[in-house]
Amino acid sequence: MKKYFAAILLVLVSLSGYSQEFNTPSSRVSVNDLLEKSKKTPKADTYYLMALSAARKNDLEAANKAIATGLGINPRDIKLLNLKGALLAKQGRLVQARQIFLSVLRMSPADEYANNCLRLIEDTMQPKNQIKPVLASKSKKYNGPSDAPISPIEDKPVSSDKLLTAAYFVDLKHKQDCSHGMSLIQLAQEKVIARNPKAKVNFSLTDLVKEGLLTSAPVCPKGGFYSWSNNEVNCSKHGGFTALDAEVTSVFREFNAGLRAKLSRNYLDALKSFEQVVILYPLWAEAHYQLGDTLFRLGEVDPALNSLRNCLKHDPNNLDAQLLMANLYFKKGQKQAALTILDKISNSQKGTVYGLSSRSVANSIRSGRSYYEIFPPN
């Protein structure tokens, strides 16, 4: 049973108008042979052969049932996991298949079958060199939130107590905004000191604005006051600029890499980044939303819905997540579920972009228009 690549079963997976072939694992041993020797053979192997036999007959329901039973006996059975991944790929469920093959490679990094399938799936999801990145340049040290900090720094682990509450990420957004303001002050004050070293002891936001070094005085979102000491700007609420900038950069680096990849339509790279972010910061609602939005753009409806549910669990008022969830329910044919969400938004957000958009989509659904009439493909 160790060499289960002897026979080949072709599984066709279609995506975006073209097909790819996946070779599923097999075995020289027949189901009957295996059943006759069941006393000497692990039960998980028996269900593997039963699943493979059903898959050859295109009986996916029986195959999946046998796989589930076998994995109930041995959740780490690589043959069963590889076959499960192949069947998911056959159904076009590439994100779930990719996760299965990644789990196999965590247990057996040299597994040839899982490596080949993972490569083929990722090439299918994001063909190489198909789309060139829109953003190629790296941001500079003092760029603000719109140019997300990406310069490498020494990682400082986030203490576990910061992950106990989703409010941490609201506070972190305030820190990011404060860090942006402090970076502007830092640049301005350094220019003043370069002209007059004695200015180290004479710090005034008002003077920096009067001299044209700042367009306006930055304001800390938490009401902190800015001062100058130890050659850097300090905030009475968030501390020194260097430490604050390092924390913000460390947390947001992978998140911003995902945003840049998504903007460039490199959805596989975006998926990898946001998957990493939600592992490191499982209570970050916005990260779950961005993961869900990326899965939506990859055509993965159910995984996208799961990510949006995680987002709304931590931030029930996230309107972007609610709108996307309504979109996905409508796409699945669950019109009433979609309308319930849209009506709630339109009633609570009257006169806003969210409210007007929700009302427009809801009216279109009620008029009988189809999903692709309302949301035509790009």
Side-chain angles (χ1 to χ4, degrees), residues 19 23 37 87 113 116 138 153 159 166 168 196 234 239 246 253 289 308 325 328 336 349 362 366:
S19 297
N23 298 329
K37 300 177 181 178
L87 295 182
Y113 179 77
N116 288 339
K138 293 186 177 181
I153 63 167
S159 59
Y168 164 66
N196 178 18
N234 287 264
R253 183 174 58 220
Y289 165 73
L308 295 176
M325 179 173 280
L328 290 170
Q336 190 53 52
Q349 302 293 321
R366 289 189 169 99

Side-chain angles (χ1 to χ4, degrees), residues 19-232:
S19 297
Q20 296 285 357
E21 291 184 346
F22 288 84
N23 298 329
T24 59
S26 186
S27 171
R28 291 191 179 94
V29 184
S30 71
V31 175
N32 289 333
D33 290 340
L34 192 57
L35 291 175
E36 288 174 3
K37 300 177 181 178
S38 60
K39 292 183 180 180
K40 298 181 181 179
T41 307
K43 290 184 179 180
D45 284 350
T46 303
Y47 286 106
Y48 166 72
L49 266 296
M50 293 171 66
L52 185 61
S53 177
R56 284 172 172 163
K57 299 173 184 176
N58 205 32
D59 187 349
L60 298 185
E61 183 178 356
N64 286 323
K65 184 177 180 180
I67 290 172
T69 305
L71 290 176
I73 297 170
N74 181 8
R76 298 173 63 84
D77 189 287
I78 289 178
K79 296 184 296 298
L80 282 166
L81 289 169
N82 276 334
L83 183 55
K84 180 178 181 179
L87 295 182
L88 286 169
K90 178 179 180 180
Q91 299 170 70
R93 298 162 66 182
L94 299 187
V95 169
Q96 295 99 313
R98 176 175 171 271
Q99 291 296 331
I100 294 294
F101 291 124
L102 286 173
S103 68
V104 170
L105 293 174
R106 281 193 286 271
M107 293 185 288
S108 179
D111 189 278
E112 182 181 358
Y113 179 77
N115 274 297
N116 288 339
C117 284
L118 181 63
R119 173 188 54 77
L120 187 53
I121 286 174
E122 293 191 344
D123 285 349
T124 303
M125 293 171 66
Q126 186 68 61
K128 290 182 173 59
N129 301 323
Q130 180 178 347
I131 301 170
K132 294 182 179 179
V134 175
L135 301 178
S137 60
K138 293 186 177 181
S139 61
K140 296 181 180 180
K141 180 179 179 181
Y142 295 115
N143 282 354
S146 60
D147 292 318
I150 60 173
S151 57
I153 63 167
E154 181 180 353
D155 286 332
K156 296 182 179 180
V158 179
S159 59
S160 60
D161 62 318
K162 290 182 178 178
L163 297 178
L164 295 178
T165 170
Y168 164 66
F169 298 104
V170 177
D171 292 336
L172 191 66
K173 186 64 173 67
H174 290 155
K175 289 182 178 182
Q176 185 189 39
D177 293 340
C178 184
S179 175
H180 174 51
M182 292 171 75
S183 71
L184 299 176
I185 298 171
Q186 184 81 23
L187 273 178
Q189 184 67 6
E190 285 178 352
K191 289 179 181 178
V192 171
I193 294 173
R195 295 199 304 253
N196 178 18
K198 295 182 179 180
K200 287 184 178 181
V201 295
N202 299 320
F203 173 77
S204 169
L205 283 180
T206 303
D207 290 344
L208 293 177
V209 174
K210 286 182 178 179
E211 293 182 34
L213 296 172
L214 291 174
T215 56
S216 61
V219 177
C220 171
K222 300 293 287 183
F225 296 98
Y226 295 122
S227 60
W228 184 268
S229 63
N230 298 321
N231 296 317
E232 69 173 6

Side-chain angles (χ1 to χ4, degrees), residues 141 148-153 155 179 243-254 256:
K141 180 179 179 181
I150 60 173
S151 57
I153 63 167
D155 286 332
S179 175
L244 179 63
D245 185 57
E247 179 183 4
V248 170
T249 300
S250 177
V251 172
F252 278 88
R253 183 174 58 220
E254 192 70 38
N256 290 325

